[in-house]
Every structure is written in C-alpha cells, then in structure tokens.
C-alpha cells in the first residue's frame, strides 16, 4: 500500500503521465484491490481517449472478477448485499465490453463478452455468445486465443447436450495445445455424459498422467468407480493422487467418504487431517456435517435396541 500511496502522490504531480496510472492499476490488482484499480483505469480513459477500446476491455475483465468475487461472498455470508453488488458488476462488465467492441472490434473483446454471456446459461445468451466466439475466430491467429475460443464453444455444446460437437472442440484444443491442462478432463466429462465410462476413465487417466496436480480429474475418476461399486479402485486412485498432492484437503476428504460406512473412525481420522490442511474448504466442511449426522443416527439406533441386547461388533 505504501507503493500505491507513493503513486498517488506522483499522479498529483504528473496527472498526464500515462505510465503511472497503469503502474498503479497493476499494483492494486496485484494486492486484490480491484475496485481501486477501476478508478485508475477510468482516469486513463479520461486522459487518453485514444486507448479507450483496450482500457475498456481491461475494465470489463476486472468488473467480471468483482462480480465473481461478490457471488462467492454471497454464498458464504448469511446476510448482506453481496448478490446485489455481484449483479451490478456483471451489468457494468457487459456494458464496458459492449462499448469496447463499438470502439475497437477485437478478438479478446468478443471472447470476454462471450465468457460473460455463457455464465448466464440462458439459451439466447448462449446463441449470442456463440456468435461472438465465431467473430473472434475470424479476428485472431493467436494460438492461446483460439484455444480459449474452442474451450468456450465446447462449453456451449455441453450446455446444449451436443456431446459429439463438444468432443470435436475438445480434440481441436489438443491439436492447438497438446499439454492443455483441462482438455482431457473436459473430454472425459463429455464421454461420461454420453454414458461411455470406458472412454471417460481413459481420458481422466490421461489428464492425471499429464497433469498430476489437477485434482478434478482424480475426483471424476473416483466418481465413476464409486458409482460402479469399485471402492478399492477408487481408493487406489485417491492414494495415487495424495502421493502427488500430499497437501490436498479435497482428496483426503473424498478418501474419507469411501470409509464412511465401513470404517467411520478411520473416515474421521482422515477428515481431521484434511481439516488441519484447509479448515475453510467447502468440501471439508460439508463432509464434517455428513459425518456428524451419521454419528448421531448411529447413536439413535443404538438407543432404540431392545434391552438385554447389545450391538454386536463387526
């Protein structure tokens, strides 16, 4: 914050120095002071209107982040106006991005607006998002941007239940970026939605092989095994994941859930270990609630046993 205060002093002396505004905005974003960053970027637009398109895109991207932030806060807080703030920043982001496209027809502008529209899940918004993504494709040859576009098109196809189309987008991502961190995971989820569990499992295993720190692939593979009643295979996957990610509270919690019925004491031991790593994890907190309810139910059942009979240990 001392750096930011120093930059404020510099701006007071040199209000026409563009670099100071941008440095101040970068530092506030680094320190997660996004609303303050918006103030600096809005001043850049006022002082340097020739850069309006690019700065509006940056403003829109920050407003999207703030919207996501307040939606997350709303889920954690019982009271407050976080949801209203989240909606407001979403509206501001959409307005900023649409204005940026009016000023400058750019691929990244279309891509950002498409991301925002996809989040709503509304059919009309998905149609418009798809149109923006196709416009973005025509405006760029950048591999990273084309990968993002294919990823978004695949997400739209999944939302519509067009699984074959989603697979083609996933395979196109692998052509553009063979080491993409989520491509094989997304392909696995598509096969899973199609009911092809063999191909889904192979895709998740490939994802784990390439990116052993991608926790979601372990969780997805475990889901397939547990639904098929293959607990030993599920635990083997989780043990593999914990060897690669020993500090993963999520994997520890999932492993604990596989012992809930057969060995609740060991399940609690694993959960306590997860709580030490990340007590604020939503997955950890939810399983703690499940475990506590299970323990209460077992105590209630024991109290209801007829007198003279004891609960036989297994």
């Amino acid at each position: 914050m001392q750096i930011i205060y120093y930059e404020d002093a510099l701006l007071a002396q040199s209000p026409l120095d563009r670099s100071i505004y941008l440095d101040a905005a970068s530092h506030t974003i680094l320190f997660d002071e996004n609303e303050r960053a918006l103030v600096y970027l809005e001043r850049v637009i006022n002082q340097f209107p020739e850069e309006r398109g690019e700065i509006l895109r940056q403003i829109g991207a920050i407003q999207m982040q703030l919207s996501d932030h307040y939606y997350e806060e709303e889920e954690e807080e019982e009271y407050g106006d976080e949801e209203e703030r989240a909606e407001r920043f979403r509206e501001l982001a959409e307005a900023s991005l649409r204005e940026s496209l009016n000023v400058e027809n750019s691929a990244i502008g279309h891509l950002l607006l498409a991301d925002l529209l996809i989040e709503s899940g509304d059919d009309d918004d998905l149609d418009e998002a798809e149109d923006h993504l196709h416009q973005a494709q025509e405006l760029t040859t950048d591999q990273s941007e084309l990968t993002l576009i294919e990823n978004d098109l695949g997400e739209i196809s999944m939302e519509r239940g067009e699984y074959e189309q989603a697979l083609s987008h996933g395979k196109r991502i692998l052509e553009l970026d063979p080491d993409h961190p989520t491509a094989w995971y997304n392909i696995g989820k598509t096969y899973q939605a199609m009911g092809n569990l063999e191909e889904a499992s192979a895709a998740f295993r490939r994802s784990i092989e390439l990116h052993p720190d991608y926790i979601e692939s372990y969780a997805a593979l475990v889901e397939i095994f547990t639904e098929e009643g293959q607990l030993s295979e599920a635990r083997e996957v989780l043990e593999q994941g914990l060897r690669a990610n020993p500090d993963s509270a999520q994997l520890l919690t999932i492993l604990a859930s596989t012992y809930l019925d057969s060995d609740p004491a060991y399940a609690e031991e694993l959960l306590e270990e997860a709580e030490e790593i990340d007590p604020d994890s939503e997955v950890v907190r939810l399983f703690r609630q499940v475990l506590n309810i299970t323990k209460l139910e077992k105590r209630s059942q024991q109290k209801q046993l007829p007198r003279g009979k004891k609960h036989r240990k297994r």
Side-chain angles (χ1 to χ4, degrees), residues 119-130:
E119 288 180 4
S120 76
D122 180 83
D123 289 342
D124 290 338
D125 285 344
L126 290 179
D127 290 343
E128 185 183 355
E130 184 178 26

Side-chain angles (χ1 to χ4, degrees), residues 50-273:
E50 68 276 8
E51 299 182 27
R52 188 174 185 83
E54 179 183 352
I55 300 302
L56 278 169
R57 287 195 298 274
Q58 293 181 33
I59 288 174
I62 293 172
Q63 289 166 335
M64 288 171 66
Q65 291 178 10
L66 283 166
S67 177
D68 291 341
H69 168 74
Y70 283 118
Y71 274 126
E72 291 172 4
E73 288 287 313
E74 188 270 333
E75 291 178 359
E76 296 176 2
E77 298 290 336
E78 186 174 355
Y79 304 102
D81 56 356
E82 284 79 8
E83 184 176 4
E84 183 179 342
R85 290 181 180 180
E87 288 290 341
R88 178 57 180 156
F89 275 113
R90 188 196 180 285
E91 293 170 359
L92 290 171
E94 183 173 346
S96 297
L97 294 171
R98 290 190 186 281
E99 186 179 353
S100 77
L101 288 170
N102 289 332
V103 176
E104 181 182 357
N105 189 30
S106 70
I108 194 65
H110 285 291
L111 182 55
L112 286 169
L113 183 54
D115 284 340
L116 190 67
L117 293 168
I118 289 171
E119 288 180 4
S120 76
D122 180 83
D123 289 342
D124 290 338
D125 285 344
L126 290 179
D127 290 343
E128 185 183 355
E130 184 178 26
D131 179 61
H132 282 291
L133 291 169
H134 288 310
Q135 290 185 63
Q137 279 180 320
E138 296 174 0
L139 292 168
T140 185
T141 57
D142 182 84
Q143 181 173 306
S144 62
E145 291 179 355
L146 289 171
T147 301
L148 290 171
I149 291 167
E150 291 291 343
N151 188 71
D152 280 358
L153 287 170
E155 187 174 344
I156 291 173
S157 296
M158 283 293 288
E159 284 285 337
R160 292 171 173 166
E162 299 170 349
Y163 301 131
E164 292 292 346
Q165 189 67 26
L167 279 177
S168 78
H169 290 301
K171 292 173 181 177
R172 175 61 178 149
I173 290 172
L174 290 174
E175 292 174 5
L176 292 165
D177 182 6
D179 293 327
H180 193 275
T182 63
W184 278 109
Y185 170 79
N186 290 336
I187 288 172
K189 294 301 288 185
T190 306
Y191 276 123
Q192 190 176 10
M194 296 169 71
N196 191 337
L197 299 185
E198 183 177 351
E199 290 290 351
S201 298
F204 293 137
R205 288 193 184 280
R206 181 60 175 156
S207 173
I208 290 169
E209 180 184 344
L210 291 172
H211 304 282
D213 59 342
Y214 195 69
I215 304 300
E216 286 78 1
S217 293
Y218 296 101
L221 188 54
V222 167
E223 180 185 352
I224 290 175
F225 283 133
T226 53
E227 287 181 355
E228 295 294 308
Q230 299 173 316
L231 283 181
S232 60
E233 289 84 351
R235 289 167 183 161
E236 184 179 337
V237 170
L238 291 165
E239 294 289 357
Q240 175 190 354
L242 285 166
R243 286 193 293 271
N245 307 275
D247 295 328
S248 173
Q250 183 178 348
L251 289 178
L252 275 168
T253 304
I254 298 172
L255 181 60
S257 71
T258 68
Y259 288 97
L260 182 61
D261 294 327
S262 61
D263 193 346
Y266 185 49
E268 181 149 25
E269 182 182 329
L270 291 169
L271 179 61
E272 288 173 353
E273 188 177 345

